[in-house]
Amino acid sequence: MSLLDSINKDNLPKHLAIIMDGNGRWAKQKGFLRAFGHENGTKSVRKTVEACAKLGVENLTLYAFSTENWNRPKLEVETLMRLLVNSLKGELKTLQENNIKLNSIGNLELLPKSIQTELKDVIEKTKDNSRMTLTLALSYGSREELLNVVKKVSDKVKNNIISIEAIDESIINQHLYTHNLPDVDLLIRTSGEHRISNFLLWQIAYAELFFTDVLWPDFKEEHLYEAIISYQKRERRFGKTSEQIKK
Ligand code: IPE
Ligand code: IPE
Ligand code: MG
């Protein structure tokens, strides 16, 4: 039986998030510049997006560029931005063919104008697609996102739009960049690093975590299936006892 056949289609993560890490090391191991790793990483993105859509994953969120990544050498940041515009231009067809809607989260105003325009264009053109929502986290940092929530909610309190007593989890959710997405069920990180790196801190509160040593440019469908199979073997208790869950 193939890995794909072992997946239970009725128990897929509703929201899968991936920290795509290891492009630089992949290139270095082969004696190439880091940029070559990023280029090859885009191939893994395409494969993963298509595989998730085919499986029936409703929401896929990819960490493509963090607020902290702005501190990388200027040339590397430029390469990443260039790859991003090219991918957006090139992948519109794939998104349409697979009925995928594009979404983005992060401090998008910091991105070069050309990317902002391209992003808006692809988001607009795919807005009626309904099979899967693909969210790109760009210039994204969870602490910045949460700071913005605090500011927006405080402003509403100050202007008597909501009372302090009314602030609950759903109010926080409504003010996050991810307001239209469910909580993350499964978070995958490649490249052997066991950390979250400022990604979706609120949204992963009860996510299952899957770490793999595979470097992102080597990430193939089989690795995705492996992660989902591992997810499906776990008992998600949400604080309850195993007996309560089984009832
Ligand atoms: C992930 O690969 C891509 C981004 C963070 C943009 P890295 O570039 O972090 O690769 P490593 O971790 O240095 O190998
Ligand atoms: C996390 O990877 C960000 C992205 C994958 C976009 P990094 O490579 O930037 O993470 P750290 O700095 O090693 O934690
Ligand atoms: Mg890295």
Side-chain angles (χ1 to χ4, degrees):
M1 200 159 83
S2 74
L3 278 178
L4 181 56
D5 295 328
S6 324
I7 293 178
N8 172 4
K9 295 278 173 68
D10 297 325
N11 182 26
L12 291 169
K14 281 207 165 48
H15 187 178
L16 167 63
I18 307 182
I19 303 175
M20 312 181 288
D21 198 13
N23 293 350
R25 277 164 284 167
W26 184 88
K28 224 174 147 187
Q29 280 175 9
K30 296 185 153 42
F32 293 108
L33 295 173
R34 294 176 59 83
F36 187 62
H38 295 314
E39 262 174 55
N40 278 274
T42 61
K43 293 179 192 161
S44 299
V45 171
R46 186 184 308 128
K47 276 189 206 144
T48 305
V49 169
E50 287 195 273
C52 284
K54 291 207 171 87
L55 262 180
V57 172
E58 288 167 22
N59 299 283
L60 171 66
T61 299
L62 300 176
Y63 203 7
F65 194 86
S66 71
T67 48
E68 289 73 22
N69 289 148
W70 287 114
N71 298 319
R72 291 195 177 192
K74 195 165 166 267
L75 192 63
E76 180 162 346
V77 172
E78 280 169 9
T79 302
L80 284 165
M81 294 299 150
R82 182 177 45 78
L83 280 172
L84 206 64
V85 194
N86 290 347
S87 308
L88 284 169
K89 281 198 179 120
E91 296 308 322
L92 177 62
K93 197 164 160 259
T94 319
L95 297 177
Q96 299 293 37
E97 279 169 6
N98 289 284
N99 194 12
I100 300 167
K101 177 168 149 173
L102 186 72
N103 177 39
S104 60
I105 55 172
N107 190 352
L108 305 176
E109 283 168 17
L110 294 182
L111 298 169
K113 284 278 167 308
S114 59
I115 296 198
Q116 293 187 35
T117 313
E118 204 58 51
L119 250 184
K120 276 191 201 129
D121 184 56
V122 179
I123 288 173
E124 173 59 30
K125 285 184 174 140
T126 59
K127 72 175 193 309
D128 295 323
N129 292 350
S130 55
R131 190 185 195 183
M132 181 174 89
T133 298
L134 167 65
T135 300
L136 293 182
L138 297 168
S139 187
Y140 175 87
S142 194
R143 286 188 169 179
E144 185 180 78
E145 176 181 38
L146 291 168
L147 273 175
N148 284 332
V149 172
V150 172
K151 286 181 190 163
K152 283 186 250 170
V153 174
S154 307
D155 194 58
K156 288 191 179 167
V157 170
K158 192 172 96 185
N159 291 301
N160 293 318
I161 297 167
I162 48 173
S163 67
I164 290 184
E165 293 69 33
I167 301 173
D168 58 9
E169 290 188 12
S170 84
I171 297 270
I172 305 295
N173 279 326
Q174 284 162 32
H175 290 83
L176 291 165
Y177 291 133
T178 52
H179 56 87
N180 43 10
L181 297 171
D183 278 351
V184 174
D185 295 308
L186 172 62
L187 173 70
I188 300 176
R189 182 171 189 145
T190 59
S191 90
E193 306 297 355
H194 297 170
R195 54 177 174 263
I196 304 300
S197 303
N198 203 11
F199 191 42
L200 302 173
L201 299 178
W202 171 279
Q203 298 88 336
I204 60 164
Y206 252 108
E208 295 297 327
L209 309 179
F210 184 88
F211 297 101
T212 168
D213 288 338
V214 172
L215 302 174
W216 180 249
D218 286 331
F219 193 84
K220 304 267 162 357
E221 287 88 344
E222 68 205 69
H223 303 114
L224 170 77
Y225 301 152
E226 230 175 80
I228 294 179
I229 291 166
S230 163
Y231 166 85
Q232 294 187 334
K233 285 188 185 139
R234 304 181 193 185
E235 182 179 64
R236 302 185 76 197
R237 292 191 285 277
F238 298 96
K240 295 182 180 172
T241 65
S242 187
E243 289 70 26
Q244 285 176 294
I245 301 298
K246 291 202 176 86
K247 242 189 246 164

